[in-house]
Amino acid sequence: MIVVVTALGFGAAWLQYGFIPNGDRPYAIAGVSIAIWHLVWMGIWTGYTMALVGQAAGIFALPYSTSVLQFSNPHVSPTMLVLTFVNPAGALLGYRRSGQWNLDLALAVCLGGVAGAIVGPLFRATVLMHADPFRLTLGIALAAFGLQLCWKAARDYSRFGRSMGRDFAEDSSPSTMRFEITTTEKNWRSISIKFGRHHRTLPNLQLFAIGAGVGVFSSALGVGGGFLLVPIFAIAYRLPLYVMVAATIPYSIVLSFVGILTFVLVLPAIGIEAISPEWSWGFFTAAGGLFGSWCASKTQLYVPEHVLNGLLGSLTSVVGIIYILSFVIKLPFSL
């Protein structure tokens, strides 16, 4: 998959420009000259870091692209969606093999993501072309969720040293410990799941509404949505990160795919100028993201839950605070 996506990056650049941008000539849409290895490296570290906490790479790759690489025009949003569409596939395959897989849990929230991804790009192309008030609201939400997760991590510090945890495993024997998320009951109103000795029942209508709301915010910015979805699952439904990845990773893929189609096809169909991705930029970054997210899926079960919550809470809080500060004062970089 990494080879195929890398080849797509070269092919897209050649078909679009007739040459391969590699630091000597700029990407025409982005207006940035950057080496291919830099884009791949960005994909690796953002893909690994965010897949470890059940998210796509967009929430880190977006500010890095806009502030460090100076790709700051509206085309950055669909370009990041190319990354968040492809890069979680590596994590998805790894999590499926490790037992962290349940499409019943993902269904309702993904359907909501489809609805949200149709609306979000419309805002990006119209009222949110200059999105300072939007980012302020988003920053407050991120900071609030992140601080709550940090509090939860501190509260659960007594579980230090435990990774997946015998309370989440089907077999308490360390040599045969395995993880599985099974559906115990499902209907149009709710989904009930079991993992280890734990049971959860989640209302499908709420999941759909959450997926739609998160999808509007996320597709407008050009991120996969996990940065809001993961804290909601952790706080509202008390799902551990080991479980919620079964829903958040497929959600990021579905949301990103529909968001790209909306930016490219739906906007011109309703009389708004299309906002096309910088395809080769997205594919090169996604190639690294595939590898990084796959590595994360192989290591997540061995990281203590409170460490994952603390990592996610800290990252989310920092990003939220930066968004808030960018509205209040002029920062030395752009978002």
Side-chain angles (χ1 to χ4, degrees), residues 75-126:
H75 295 274
V76 71
S77 292
T79 301
M80 292 299 102
L81 288 180
V82 175
L83 166 63
T84 56
F85 169 60
V86 177
N87 107 268
L92 186 68
L93 295 175
Y95 283 132
R96 181 178 184 179
R97 174 167 289 188
S98 64
Q100 296 162 274
W101 171 270
N102 190 302
L103 293 181
D104 296 326
L105 176 61
L107 178 60
V109 73
C110 285
L111 290 175
V114 170
I118 295 174
V119 177
L122 304 181
F123 282 100
R124 183 68 169 102
T126 54

Side-chain angles (χ1 to χ4, degrees), residues 138-222:
L138 179 61
I140 293 172
L142 284 172
F145 279 125
L147 292 174
Q148 289 188 63
L149 283 176
C150 289
W151 172 81
K152 185 176 185 295
R155 184 192 65 186
D156 295 342
Y157 182 74
S158 59
R159 299 178 64 180
F160 179 79
R162 302 173 72 176
S163 53
M164 173 172 58
R166 296 179 183 178
D167 54 337
F168 293 145
E170 291 291 329
D171 191 331
S172 61
S173 170
S175 62
T176 59
M177 187 181 294
R178 60 190 177 89
F179 192 91
E180 186 176 4
I181 306 168
T182 56
T183 301
T184 58
E185 185 180 356
K186 64 177 180 177
N187 53 59
W188 69 271
R189 287 187 295 268
S190 64
I191 172 74
S192 297
I193 59 171
K194 176 180 180 291
F195 49 98
R197 293 184 288 271
H198 297 261
H199 293 81
R200 297 285 190 277
T201 298
L202 294 82
N204 282 327
L205 290 179
Q206 284 186 18
L207 292 178
F208 178 88
I210 290 169
V214 170
V216 172
F217 279 100
S218 303
S219 59
L221 285 178

Side-chain angles (χ1 to χ4, degrees), residues 18-37:
F19 64 90
I20 307 298
N22 191 27
D24 49 351
R25 286 181 283 187
Y27 292 82
I29 292 177
V32 175
S33 298
I34 187 72
I36 293 174
W37 70 264

Side-chain angles (χ1 to χ4, degrees), residues 40-105:
V40 174
W41 168 242
M42 178 178 71
I44 292 175
W45 73 263
T46 57
Y48 178 83
T49 303
M50 302 317 295
L52 197 63
V53 291
Q55 303 185 34
I59 193 61
F60 269 7
L62 176 63
Y64 187 87
S65 294
T66 57
S67 62
V68 177
L69 304 183
Q70 295 300 305
F71 181 7
S72 56
N73 63 49
H75 295 274
V76 71
S77 292
T79 301
M80 292 299 102
L81 288 180
V82 175
L83 166 63
T84 56
F85 169 60
V86 177
N87 107 268
L92 186 68
L93 295 175
Y95 283 132
R96 181 178 184 179
R97 174 167 289 188
S98 64
Q100 296 162 274
W101 171 270
N102 190 302
L103 293 181
D104 296 326
L105 176 61

